[in-house]
Amino acid sequence: MNIKTSTVTDNQTFTTLYSYLDKGVDDMEAGKVHRLDEAIQIVKDRLESELHFL
């Protein structure tokens, strides 16, 4: 049972990460560009916030 729960959580995490990366691409296309270290920190902060709600 734990393996299935872990897999679901992993899938949710990757889906969330992908959506943030996709938004980052949209921001770049709109001219909102962040340095790499800023972009990574934004993704980390959002993932941490999202994982607290799971």
Side-chain angles (χ1 to χ4, degrees):
M1 195 59 117
N2 288 337
I3 293 173
K4 185 173 180 79
T5 301
S6 177
T7 301
V8 170
T9 301
D10 289 347
N11 287 340
Q12 290 171 335
T13 301
F14 285 118
T15 299
T16 300
L17 176 60
Y18 179 77
S19 72
Y20 292 150
L21 293 173
D22 190 44
K23 183 176 180 340
V25 170
D26 291 344
D27 286 349
M28 285 175 49
E29 289 173 347
K32 302 175 193 173
V33 180
H34 299 283
R35 292 189 334 253
L36 179 59
D37 60 326
E38 292 173 331
I40 291 171
Q41 188 61 50
I42 290 168
V43 170
K44 284 181 179 180
D45 292 346
R46 289 180 180 174
L47 273 175
E48 184 176 307
S49 175
E50 184 77 25
L51 291 175
H52 281 123
F53 291 108
L54 293 180

